[in-house]
Amino acid sequence: MAALGSPLRTLRGLLRELRHASGRAGRPYRRTPAYQHVVAAFRAHRVTSEKLCRAQQELHFQAATYLCLLRSVREHTALHQEYHGKGERSPEEVAGLVGFRLPQQPGGKG
């Protein structure tokens, strides 16, 4: 398993992905329930000098997994929009895309 990195880096990555996801909604991302939940969860599970919180590592692992999911969904959507087919194309158009010309029909039909 790969190292998780610092919890602060994971939190910043999560907030960045939430900002990207809510950018289309038109309202500030800091007012979304997802933002408030993530920040509250990180604050509730931080390690203090009085205790060692085992749930900190569990939260960090779940947060890193969720960050990976959000990032992957965003990248998948971008790739899908860029490379998704535009519908069925005619044979002449497909041949033109790859740099070929279709042969002409004898008798002037093509």
Side-chain angles (χ1 to χ4, degrees):
M1 183 172 105
L4 291 175
S6 76
L8 182 60
R9 185 174 180 169
T10 303
L11 175 64
R12 286 180 178 165
L14 270 173
L15 297 181
R16 185 178 315 115
E17 292 300 323
L18 288 174
R19 186 171 53 243
H20 284 295
S22 68
R24 291 165 253 146
R27 66 180 189 179
Y29 79 101
R30 290 183 183 216
R31 294 186 184 201
T32 61
Y35 174 86
Q36 293 169 357
H37 173 73
V38 167
V39 171
F42 267 86
R43 284 183 181 153
H45 289 88
R46 68 177 175 249
V47 177
T48 63
S49 60
E50 290 92 27
K51 65 177 183 175
L52 175 64
C53 183
R54 191 176 70 193
Q56 170 74 25
Q57 284 78 27
E58 294 173 14
L59 176 77
H60 188 199
F61 180 76
Q62 288 177 352
T65 304
Y66 189 57
L67 172 61
C68 181
L69 171 74
L70 288 175
R71 191 175 288 153
S72 298
V73 167
R74 180 176 50 87
E75 291 172 359
H76 169 75
T77 304
L79 288 172
H80 187 342
Q81 287 176 351
E82 184 174 347
Y83 293 110
H84 186 65
K86 305 288 189 263
E88 192 166 338
R89 296 181 172 148
S90 68
E92 293 83 13
E93 189 179 356
V94 172
L97 285 174
V98 294
F100 293 124
R101 267 187 328 147
L102 291 178
Q104 299 295 321
Q105 294 281 338
K109 292 185 180 177

